[in-house]
Amino acid sequence: MKPLRSALYVPGDKPRAIEKARTLRADAIILDLEDAVAPEHKAQAREHVRDALRTPWHVPVLIRVNGLNTPWEHDDRELALTAGASGIVLPKVEDARTARDLSPGLPLWAMIETPQGVLNAPSIAAVPGVTALLVGTNDLARALRTQPHPDRTPLLHALGSVVLAARAHGKTPLDAVYNDIRDPQGFQRECQQGRALGFTGKTVIHPDQIEGANTAFGVTAQEAQAAQELIAAWEQARREGKSVATHRGALVEQMHVDEAQEVLALWGVTEG
Ligand SMILES: CC(C)(COP(=O)(O)OP(=O)(O)OC[C@H]1O[C@@H](n2cnc3c(N)ncnc32)[C@H](O)[C@@H]1OP(=O)(O)O)[C@@H](O)C(=O)NCCC(=O)NCCSC(=O)C[C@H](O)C(=O)O
Ligand SMILES: [Mg+2]
């Protein structure tokens, strides 16, 4: 089980940022050829990304390609398929056919960042090659004409729809980026909201955001300890022939044990 608490977008046209990313503790890296790269830098960014993938990375490295009907889509996809990327991040996916036709044999992370994409999220998530749904609230907010809101209230329906679609098909939902890199409190608040909404992790745009995402979407020593105690109480109850248990005054059924085991698994791969 690979954790996906944080996925760092790294602009493909910034060799320094690419090198820096090798030293960081994000659980995944997204080398970006799309919106972080100006049109006149696209070709150069492809070469920086190709070079970056010549040497192994410590975490999965995906390439965000430019979308359908852009001048760069074919060259980007050729790079992603041949340079040894761990997967492809496809922006502005609006329907399952696009996701299916562009499912290149590599894991596909589909970006849900348009109204049509949100409405079709369930069918996009059902495509076998799609392994994750990523929310793009910058593009989505513009398309919806919503106003910025500290609790993302205008976007909650879309955020919840993406989690619902991803979970219904056993795929990973990743939360959107937080743009203000100089507001750690706001970032932390949004991470906690994303965790509460059911996202697995968060896409981030700056090194300073990685630890906060890893903490918010990770497991604390206390949570791991509580999970172990709950499992022990369950096992004792089962030895006594009981179908359910109580622990710290709360009912414990198999689903709670499953959840506790997931907590320990994440603890094991991140802190173990
Ligand atoms: C936002 C930034 C342009 C700020 O860059 P900068 O001013 O250089 O930041 P710092 O001076 O604080 O940098 C400190 C060091 O960290 C390195 N750095 C900065 N950002 C990154 C990064 N993303 N990956 C790796 N390394 C990074 C700097 O090189 C400095 O290192 P050093 O040289 O050792 O001092 C910048 O953070 C940035 O470009 N971030 C990424 C922006 C991006 O990728 N945008 C596209 C994805 S967001 C999006 O579009 C989501 C979706 O599509 C939607 O629609 O919502
Ligand atoms: Mg976008």
Side-chain angles (χ1 to χ4, degrees):
M1 168 197 181
K2 286 217 175 291
L4 267 177
R5 303 160 297 173
S6 55
L8 174 68
Y9 281 106
V10 181
D13 64 344
K14 294 186 178 172
R16 173 60 202 140
I18 294 174
E19 274 320 298
K20 176 93 176 182
R22 285 186 181 278
T23 69
L24 302 173
R25 282 173 40 93
D27 288 336
I29 297 292
I30 301 172
L31 298 178
D32 194 14
L33 298 175
E34 200 224 9
D35 281 356
V37 178
E40 66 274 18
H41 293 167
K42 298 288 191 186
Q44 178 193 48
R46 261 199 299 276
E47 292 320 305
H48 290 319
V49 167
R50 193 188 306 279
D51 290 345
L53 288 166
R54 290 189 208 283
T55 43
W57 284 72
H58 60 300
V59 290
V61 175
L62 297 96
I63 297 175
R64 179 164 74 164
V65 298
N66 285 276
L68 277 182
N69 308 319
T70 63
W72 312 286
E73 68 165 302
H74 298 296
D75 289 342
D76 286 2
R77 201 150 345 111
E78 185 273 336
L79 170 69
L81 290 174
T82 58
S86 311
I88 290 186
V89 178
L90 194 59
K92 302 175 179 72
V93 177
E94 296 211 298
D95 55 51
R97 187 181 54 77
T98 304
R100 199 170 28 253
D101 295 352
L102 297 179
S103 250
L106 279 177
L108 187 70
W109 289 9
M111 291 205 69
I112 307 298
E113 47 184 347
T114 67
Q116 276 298 343
V118 174
L119 292 174
N120 294 327
S123 58
I124 295 166
V127 173
V130 170
T131 57
L133 296 186
L134 283 64
V135 184
T137 47
N138 289 335
D139 282 301
L140 184 60
R142 187 166 64 80
L144 293 174
R145 307 293 191 278
T146 54
Q147 299 291 313
H149 191 282
D151 297 330
R152 298 195 287 182
T153 304
L155 296 168
L156 285 180
H157 171 72
L159 293 167
S161 301
V162 170
V163 172
L164 194 64
R167 296 298 185 194
H169 294 283
K171 308 299 172 74
T172 299
L174 291 180
D175 199 356
V177 298
Y178 186 81
N179 293 320
D180 186 346
I181 59 173
R182 307 294 180 222
D183 177 9
Q185 287 75 27
F187 175 74
Q188 211 50 45
R189 204 170 40 246
E190 189 163 293
C191 283
Q192 282 152 9
Q193 182 197 39
R195 174 81 184 256
L197 285 170
F199 285 101
T200 297
K202 193 171 183 63
T203 49
V204 295
I205 59 170
H206 190 279
D208 291 352
Q209 296 181 331
I210 295 169
E211 280 316 310
N214 286 351
T215 301
F217 290 94
V219 172
T220 63
Q222 293 75 12
E223 287 168 333
Q225 174 71 25
Q228 273 167 336
E229 290 170 3
L230 182 142
I231 292 169
W234 169 259
E235 287 167 348
Q236 177 56 33
R238 299 299 291 129
R239 282 192 291 272
E240 295 165 1
K242 296 174 184 168
S243 303
V244 294
T246 54
H247 177 58
R248 294 183 178 176
L251 172 69
V252 176
E253 296 177 332
Q254 182 64 49
M255 72 176 88
H256 303 111
V257 176
D258 296 347
E259 186 183 16
Q261 282 163 344
E262 280 177 17
V263 166
L264 288 183
L266 182 56
W267 171 258
V269 294
T270 54
E271 308 303 329

